[in-house]
Amino acid sequence: MFDISSIDFTPFYLSLKLAFITTIILFFATLPLAYWLSRSNFKAKPIIESIVALPLVLPPSVLGFYMLVFLSPYNFFGKFMEENFDIRLVFNFSGLVIASCIYSLPFMFQPLQAGFSSLPKSLFEASYSLGKGKWTTLFMVALPNIKPSLLTALIVSFAHTLGEFGVVLMIGGSVGDKTKVASIAIYEAVELMDYQKAHVYSALMLIISFAVLFLVYFFNAKQKKA
């Protein structure tokens, strides 16, 4: 008989913590960029959009390798963080956050940009004519009018970060209760042929992933009926 109490759920706590922090950072980091690009038209715009979308097509191993080089204490940024803030970014939770923000960037950015682009120019012109500034217009006018896109961006970014494997493996490895997230725990359970534990972890990830996607489709369906 399988004893559920023998399962260590710390990897799920780390995965949820990583996904939550990454989603919050990405929201505030990409919101101004998505808003600006949706209202702008200049020659370099496709270049910026291509850079932001790169994680969609780059193999996780390639992105993970370059992130490992970038965050390494033998490189400028990694060395700077370790010498000045005593933070080693590789095989550390802080490094996982940085890598996850880059890996999940397009999943937050693209729905927000699409949402802002769908809004009519008259909405912004009316706000400006009433004396509202750009930031007030963004938070008080634009955001409330793209609720489906906003929810999609938040939930899909959260879910994508939750299921990361390749990038987190290369940057964080499997350090006990620091970087061993759920996807890594599943991989290790399979390697050790502990299929019962792998089943439990995988089933939980399946349930969480389904619930997250269901929320997106359910909310969007309600918005269309409203």
Side-chain angles (χ1 to χ4, degrees):
M1 186 70 178
F2 180 65
D3 184 12
I4 192 69
S5 63
S6 64
I7 296 293
D8 178 18
F9 291 99
T10 304
F12 280 90
Y13 164 74
L14 287 175
S15 289
L16 291 169
K17 179 182 176 182
L18 177 63
F20 179 78
I21 294 173
T22 299
T23 302
I24 295 299
I25 293 173
L26 279 178
F27 172 70
F28 288 104
T30 61
L31 184 63
L33 180 63
Y35 181 64
W36 172 57
L37 287 178
S38 69
R39 315 310 304 172
S40 305
N41 190 16
F42 53 97
K43 289 183 178 180
K45 182 178 176 180
I47 297 175
I48 298 174
E49 291 175 325
S50 297
I51 292 172
V52 172
L54 263 179
L56 289 174
V57 296
L58 271 180
S61 55
V62 174
L63 184 60
F65 170 71
Y66 282 115
M67 286 301 301
L68 183 62
V69 172
F70 177 67
L71 300 176
S72 167
Y74 303 105
N75 208 322
F76 170 76
F77 182 71
K79 185 177 181 181
F80 173 81
M81 292 297 293
E82 186 164 353
E83 290 181 350
N84 292 276
F85 300 100
D86 195 28
I87 300 175
R88 173 163 287 206
L89 295 175
V90 292
F91 307 115
N92 187 286
F93 188 79
S94 299
L96 286 187
V97 172
I98 295 173
S100 296
C101 284
I102 293 174
Y103 188 47
S104 296
L105 176 62
F107 294 89
M108 178 68 74
F109 172 82
Q110 291 187 341
L112 289 177
Q113 185 188 25
F116 288 136
S117 297
S118 68
L119 297 177
K121 289 184 179 180
S122 58
L123 188 68
F124 297 91
E125 292 169 353
S127 178
Y128 296 148
S129 67
L130 293 172
K132 305 298 182 183
K134 290 184 178 181
W135 289 104
T136 302
T137 301
L138 169 59
F139 285 102
M140 304 302 293
V141 178
L143 271 182
N145 283 283
I146 61 161
K147 287 180 182 178
S149 298
L150 175 60
L151 184 70
T152 299
L154 292 171
I155 293 182
V156 172
S157 297
F158 184 90
H160 184 255
T161 305
L162 196 66
E164 285 180 40
F165 176 71
V167 172
V168 296
L169 178 63
M170 295 192 74
I171 301 299
S174 177
V175 183
D177 57 355
K178 291 184 179 180
T179 65
K180 186 178 178 180
V181 294
S183 56
I184 304 299
I186 294 171
Y187 174 73
E188 288 189 348
V190 173
E191 273 198 323
L192 295 171
M193 299 185 71
D194 189 349
Y195 294 124
Q196 286 185 318
K197 181 180 289 186
H199 272 304
V200 173
Y201 284 158
S202 298
L204 282 172
M205 287 294 288
L206 179 62
I207 293 169
I208 294 171
S209 299
F210 175 80
V212 165
L213 290 175
F214 175 77
L215 280 175
V216 173
Y217 288 111
F218 177 76
F219 183 82
N220 286 344
K222 285 192 68 177
Q223 286 294 114
K224 289 179 181 178
K225 290 180 181 179

